[in-house]
């Protein structure tokens, strides 16, 4: 049996690594991401108390102003009803519920807490239950106007 040339050996090694990566991605990572996303969606539904959302979807949070720069940020589920805005962060699972009458403004900003994602994000300014002002920003993708309309009270 002839020995593999160095070029052929490298090609076989690269193909094996790519196959292993695909196996790990589709067999382990992707199902876990889907499970966490589904759990965040379920948590948001519970926080809404059965009220059907006017708009919902998976978005990325750039964090809550009062939690500061060191907080965990990431993907989660955002759901909006006539009475509340609910965001459930997928990892760690944490839910923020904002009554619509506590929202003081919704605007596009370029950065939030020192983070930038390459396009404007939506910042929701609101009053916490104790009356203190706070804000959270979301990367909602390209339909910022649709999300802004859904998030703006009234």
């Amino acid at each position: 049996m002839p020995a593999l040339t160095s070029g052929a050996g490298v090609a076989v090694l690269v193909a094996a690594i790519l196959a292993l990566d695909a196996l790990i991605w589709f067999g382990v990572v992707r199902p876990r991401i889907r499970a966490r996303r589904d759990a965040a969606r379920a948590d948001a539904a519970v926080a809404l108390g059965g009220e059907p959302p006017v708009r919902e979807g998976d978005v990325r949070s750039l964090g809550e102003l009062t939690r500061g720069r060191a907080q965990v940020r990431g993907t989660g589920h955002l759901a909006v009803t006539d009475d509340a805005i609910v965001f459930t962060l997928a990892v760690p699972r944490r839910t923020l519920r904002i009554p619509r009458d506590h929202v003081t403004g919704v605007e596009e900003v370029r950065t939030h807490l020192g983070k930038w994602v390459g396009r404007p994000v939506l910042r929701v300014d609101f009053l916490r239950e104790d009356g203190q002002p706070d804000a959270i920003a979301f990367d909602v993708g390209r339909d910022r106007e649709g999300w802004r309309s859904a998030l703006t009270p009234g």
Side-chain angles (χ1 to χ4, degrees), residues 12-40:
V12 169
L13 181 61
V14 168
I17 290 171
L18 290 175
L20 182 60
D21 282 350
L23 179 65
I24 291 170
W25 173 254
F26 289 108
V28 178
V29 175
R30 192 170 177 202
R32 286 187 181 177
I33 290 171
R34 183 175 289 131
R36 288 181 177 156
R37 186 176 34 208
D38 292 346

Side-chain angles (χ1 to χ4, degrees), residues 113-136:
L113 289 171
K115 295 294 179 182
W116 177 72
V117 297
R119 64 177 163 244
V121 296
L122 291 180
R123 186 179 75 206
V124 177
D125 295 301
F126 63 97
L127 298 175
R128 298 189 79 74
E129 292 296 327
D130 62 4
Q132 294 298 313
D134 203 351
I136 187 168

Side-chain angles (χ1 to χ4, degrees), residues 25-153:
W25 173 254
F26 289 108
V28 178
V29 175
R30 192 170 177 202
R32 286 187 181 177
I33 290 171
R34 183 175 289 131
R36 288 181 177 156
R37 186 176 34 208
D38 292 346
R41 184 177 296 119
D43 287 354
V46 168
L48 290 173
E51 187 177 354
V54 174
R55 180 152 191 173
E56 66 179 324
D58 296 328
V59 302
R60 184 170 37 165
S61 167
L62 277 68
E64 293 172 60
L65 192 60
T66 56
R67 289 183 180 268
R69 291 177 179 233
Q71 71 187 288
V72 174
R73 303 165 189 157
T75 303
H77 192 76
L78 180 62
V80 181
T81 69
D82 291 334
D83 296 328
I85 297 169
V86 172
F87 175 70
T88 301
L89 186 64
V91 177
R93 280 181 45 199
R94 179 173 64 220
T95 299
L96 172 66
R97 186 177 196 283
I98 305 167
R100 291 296 293 270
D101 60 357
H102 287 207
V103 175
T104 58
V106 177
E107 67 179 308
E108 282 188 23
V109 296
R110 304 261 336 136
T111 65
H112 182 73
L113 289 171
K115 295 294 179 182
W116 177 72
V117 297
R119 64 177 163 244
V121 296
L122 291 180
R123 186 179 75 206
V124 177
D125 295 301
F126 63 97
L127 298 175
R128 298 189 79 74
E129 292 296 327
D130 62 4
Q132 294 298 313
D134 203 351
I136 187 168
F138 301 107
D139 176 9
V140 296
R142 295 180 183 190
D143 188 19
R144 287 185 303 278
E145 198 51 48
W147 273 105
R148 179 195 297 233
S149 176
L151 292 166
T152 302

